[in-house]
């Protein structure tokens, strides 16, 4: 039997770098309300010291966001509408049809549960459907409770919360002396990647984000790379039914001022400036370990160890994969060279 083969053009994913004041505001809110990791964020101390200058209404909204994890909903909404300004975000928010609104907010799980997700969005007044869909996420750190929380607030209440918290955070954070510089740096980052190599998207993603190794996933047609300042030093990864989002920290050189040490250098030396953390790093350089194993070895509770390990991880001195911690020797070796570079020392000047 003869076959007539007529090849179709190969489809490629859409790869784009996207930034805006809206993304930066939402990521600031996400970082501020991430209570478990707040101590590892670059702006934790500034946020804490400046809290007294926040309007009372903003403080209350942030408490609610922290309790419900509604920062996730803000990310999903901005991904959908891609607003360039805070005012646009508020305007477009109220233009979304109610059913579409909930479909955007409800997290994607997999193809098997996609019909259930859409049915739940269509029946947004039925708390039982929200509970049934939330069960699929009970193994997740927060998405199960996030879904349950959604049905406790009306569409109007959610819109008012999202609009007010974004506007008030922007009004507060934009008074920061470096806000304009951050916006210029983010704009520069986006513009320099207007033309991307989509023939090898995985390589391009790793290059732009500074290390994300991404394997293409079924049904993902768009990958958005979103640079940020407020969520530093973390890379945040999210997805919808057809889009993958990577929020990556803006490169240090775009923010650095002459004579001011890079924040990643300060973070590394702070992480090393503790006896327990040095002992943990010493141990992990000799082999990977789980939190349970480290807890037994150091005769310490898991909560205390997890706090210390998170600081080493934020400094990229260690990695964690499926609950197993391991050292990052390449990053450790870079520390001294980065110090020399900052101090502008030549090799012959170092004794």
């Amino acid at each position: 039997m003869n076959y007539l083969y007529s090849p179709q053009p190969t489809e490629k994913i859409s790869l784009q770098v996207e930034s805006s004041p809206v993304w930066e505001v939402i990521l600031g809110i996400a970082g501020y309300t991430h209570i478990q990791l707040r101590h590892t964020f670059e702006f934790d101390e500034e946020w804490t010291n400046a809290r007294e200058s926040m309007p009372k209404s903003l403080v209350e909204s942030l408490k609610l966001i922290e309790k419900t994890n509604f920062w996730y909903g803000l990310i999903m909404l901005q991904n959908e509408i891609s607003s360039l300004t805070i005012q646009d975000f508020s305007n477009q928010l109220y233009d979304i049809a109610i059913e579409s609104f909930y479909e955007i907010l409800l997290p994607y799980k997999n193809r098997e549960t996609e019909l259930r997700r859409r049915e739940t969005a269509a029946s947004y007044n039925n708390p039982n459907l929200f509970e049934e869909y939330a069960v699929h996420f009970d193994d997740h750190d927060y998405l199960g409770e996030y879904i349950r929380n959604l049905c406790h607030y009306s569409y109007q209440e959610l819109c008012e919360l999202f609009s007010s918290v974004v506007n008030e955070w922007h009004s507060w954070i934009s008074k920061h002396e470096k806000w304009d510089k951050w916006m210029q740096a983010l704009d520069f980052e986006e513009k320099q990647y207007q033309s991307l190599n989509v023939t090898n998207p995985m390589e391009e993603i790793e290059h732009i984000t500074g290390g994300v190794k991404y394997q293409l996933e079924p049904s993902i047609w768009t990958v958005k790379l979103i640079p940020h300042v407020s969520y530093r030093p973390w890379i945040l990864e999210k997805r919808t039914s057809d889009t993958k989002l990577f929020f990556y920290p803006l490169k240090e050189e775009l923010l650095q001022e002459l004579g001011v040490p890079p924040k990643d250098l300060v973070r590394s030396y702070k992480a090393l400036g503790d006896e327990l953390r040095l002992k943990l790093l010493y141990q992990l350089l000799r082999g990977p370990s789980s939190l349970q194993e480290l807890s037994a070895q150091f005769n310490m509770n898991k909560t205390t160890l997890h706090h210390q390990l998170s600081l080493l991880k934020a400094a990229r001195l260690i990695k964690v994969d499926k609950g197993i911690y391991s050292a990052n020797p390449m990053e450790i070796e870079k520390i001294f060279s980065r110090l020399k570079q900052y101090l502008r020392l030549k090799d012959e000047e170092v004794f």
Side-chain angles (χ1 to χ4, degrees), residues 34-80:
H34 197 327
I35 196 66
Q36 292 84 0
L37 278 182
R38 255 284 297 274
H39 65 287
T40 68
F41 281 83
E42 285 187 1
F43 287 100
D44 178 42
E45 189 175 348
E46 282 192 47
W47 287 334
T48 302
N49 293 339
R51 180 174 172 172
E52 294 302 317
S53 66
M54 283 186 184
K56 185 178 178 181
S57 55
L58 175 58
V59 172
E60 293 305 311
S61 293
L62 291 170
K63 285 180 181 177
L64 181 55
I65 297 285
E66 180 184 317
K67 177 184 174 182
T68 59
N69 288 300
F70 282 167
W71 58 268
Y72 179 89
L74 286 170
I75 287 177
M76 294 296 103
L77 287 163
Q78 171 61 2
N79 171 63
E80 182 69 23

Side-chain angles (χ1 to χ4, degrees), residues 324-335:
I324 302 298
Y325 292 88
S326 59
N328 188 356
M330 290 182 64
E331 193 65 29
I332 295 169
E333 289 175 4
K334 290 178 185 176
I335 294 175

Side-chain angles (χ1 to χ4, degrees), residues 103-163:
E103 191 171 324
I104 293 167
L105 292 181
L106 285 169
Y108 173 84
K109 176 72 173 180
N110 53 40
R111 282 178 288 187
E112 288 72 23
T113 59
E114 181 60 1
L115 179 59
R116 174 58 59 88
R117 186 177 78 90
R118 294 183 180 182
E119 288 174 345
T120 304
S123 303
Y124 52 86
N125 284 323
N126 187 340
N128 292 330
L129 288 182
F130 277 78
E131 174 59 36
E132 290 171 12
Y133 190 60
V135 169
H136 295 289
F137 293 87
D138 279 345
D139 59 344
H140 193 277
D141 287 345
Y142 57 82
L143 284 179
E145 287 308 305
Y146 160 79
I147 294 167
R148 293 181 176 96
N149 284 323
L150 282 176
C151 67
H152 294 154
Y153 297 86
S154 69
Y155 161 77
Q156 188 66 29
E157 287 173 326
L158 288 170
C159 284
E160 288 175 0
L161 171 65
F162 292 149
S163 178

Side-chain angles (χ1 to χ4, degrees), residues 234-344:
W234 296 105
I235 292 174
L236 181 64
E237 176 184 336
K238 294 291 167 230
R239 73 158 290 169
T240 69
S241 59
D242 60 4
T243 302
K244 190 78 174 186
L245 301 103
F246 290 105
F247 303 89
Y248 66 95
L250 199 62
K251 297 177 183 65
E252 191 69 40
E253 54 265 30
L254 294 178
L255 301 171
Q256 194 173 345
E257 297 178 23
L258 188 63
V260 178
K263 289 188 180 295
D264 61 344
L265 178 64
V266 174
R267 187 166 54 248
S268 295
Y269 276 93
K270 277 187 176 180
L272 294 173
D274 178 87
E275 183 178 351
L276 174 58
R277 291 196 290 272
L278 281 171
K279 287 179 178 178
L280 286 167
L281 190 57
Y282 178 89
Q283 185 60 38
L284 292 174
L285 278 165
R286 273 134 197 87
S289 295
S290 67
L291 184 60
Q292 178 71 33
E293 291 167 337
L294 291 169
S295 178
Q297 184 170 354
F298 284 84
N299 193 27
M300 297 185 72
N301 66 65
K302 293 180 184 177
T303 302
T304 300
L305 277 179
H306 185 270
H307 177 85
Q308 301 299 334
L309 289 165
S310 66
L311 291 170
L312 289 169
K313 185 170 179 282
R316 300 187 181 183
L317 301 176
I318 65 170
K319 300 175 287 187
V320 60
D321 183 32
K322 297 179 180 178
I324 302 298
Y325 292 88
S326 59
N328 188 356
M330 290 182 64
E331 193 65 29
I332 295 169
E333 289 175 4
K334 290 178 185 176
I335 294 175
F336 188 54
S337 62
R338 289 206 302 265
L339 178 63
K340 283 169 54 180
Q341 184 180 17
Y342 164 64
L343 296 176
R344 301 193 172 186

